[in-house]
Short mmCIF file of all heavy atoms in Angstrom, two decimals:
data_model
loop_
_atom_site.label_atom_id
_atom_site.label_comp_id
_atom_site.label_asym_id
_atom_site.label_seq_id
_atom_site.Cartn_x
_atom_site.Cartn_y
_atom_site.Cartn_z
N GLY A 329 111.03 79.56 88.08
CA GLY A 329 111.80 78.85 87.06
C GLY A 329 112.98 78.20 87.69
O GLY A 329 113.27 78.44 88.89
N THR A 330 113.74 77.44 86.96
CA THR A 330 114.92 76.74 87.52
C THR A 330 116.07 77.69 87.54
O THR A 330 116.14 78.65 86.74
CB THR A 330 115.25 75.49 86.67
OG1 THR A 330 115.26 75.85 85.32
CG2 THR A 330 114.24 74.36 86.92
N CYS A 331 116.98 77.44 88.43
CA CYS A 331 118.13 78.34 88.61
C CYS A 331 119.39 77.87 87.92
O CYS A 331 120.35 78.62 87.86
CB CYS A 331 118.37 78.58 90.08
SG CYS A 331 118.62 76.99 90.95
N GLY A 332 119.42 76.62 87.55
CA GLY A 332 120.61 76.12 86.86
C GLY A 332 121.60 75.41 87.79
O GLY A 332 122.70 74.97 87.41
N CYS A 333 121.33 75.43 89.10
CA CYS A 333 122.22 74.76 90.07
C CYS A 333 122.11 73.20 89.79
O CYS A 333 121.00 72.76 89.36
CB CYS A 333 121.85 75.03 91.48
SG CYS A 333 122.10 76.68 91.94
N ASP A 334 123.13 72.46 90.11
CA ASP A 334 123.15 70.98 90.01
C ASP A 334 122.38 70.47 91.19
O ASP A 334 122.99 70.31 92.26
CB ASP A 334 124.56 70.52 89.93
CG ASP A 334 124.67 69.02 89.55
OD1 ASP A 334 123.51 68.42 89.45
OD2 ASP A 334 125.70 68.53 89.34
N VAL A 335 121.16 70.19 90.99
CA VAL A 335 120.26 69.80 92.16
C VAL A 335 120.61 68.38 92.59
O VAL A 335 120.29 67.99 93.77
CB VAL A 335 118.80 69.92 91.87
CG1 VAL A 335 118.43 71.38 91.94
CG2 VAL A 335 118.40 69.34 90.55
N THR A 336 121.22 67.55 91.76
CA THR A 336 121.47 66.16 92.16
C THR A 336 122.41 66.20 93.37
O THR A 336 122.35 65.35 94.21
CB THR A 336 122.14 65.37 91.05
OG1 THR A 336 123.28 66.10 90.61
CG2 THR A 336 121.17 65.11 89.89
N GLU A 337 123.21 67.24 93.46
CA GLU A 337 124.19 67.29 94.60
C GLU A 337 123.44 67.62 95.92
O GLU A 337 124.12 67.52 96.94
CB GLU A 337 125.23 68.36 94.32
CG GLU A 337 126.20 67.93 93.21
CD GLU A 337 127.40 68.83 93.15
OE1 GLU A 337 127.73 69.37 94.19
OE2 GLU A 337 128.00 68.99 92.07
N LEU A 338 122.20 67.98 95.81
CA LEU A 338 121.49 68.37 97.04
C LEU A 338 121.01 67.14 97.79
O LEU A 338 120.58 67.14 98.89
CB LEU A 338 120.33 69.28 96.74
CG LEU A 338 120.78 70.67 96.22
CD1 LEU A 338 119.56 71.49 95.85
CD2 LEU A 338 121.59 71.37 97.24
N ASP A 339 121.03 65.97 97.06
CA ASP A 339 120.58 64.73 97.67
C ASP A 339 121.69 64.28 98.68
O ASP A 339 122.78 63.98 98.28
CB ASP A 339 120.36 63.64 96.63
CG ASP A 339 119.72 62.40 97.20
OD1 ASP A 339 120.03 62.09 98.37
OD2 ASP A 339 119.01 61.69 96.49
N PRO A 340 121.36 64.24 99.98
CA PRO A 340 122.40 63.88 100.93
C PRO A 340 123.06 62.55 100.71
O PRO A 340 124.22 62.36 101.04
CB PRO A 340 121.65 64.01 102.36
CG PRO A 340 120.22 64.03 101.97
CD PRO A 340 120.05 64.50 100.56
#
Side-chain angles (χ1 to χ4, degrees):
T330 47
C331 54
C333 292
D334 189 354
V335 284
T336 53
E337 289 193 27
L338 293 177
D339 187 330

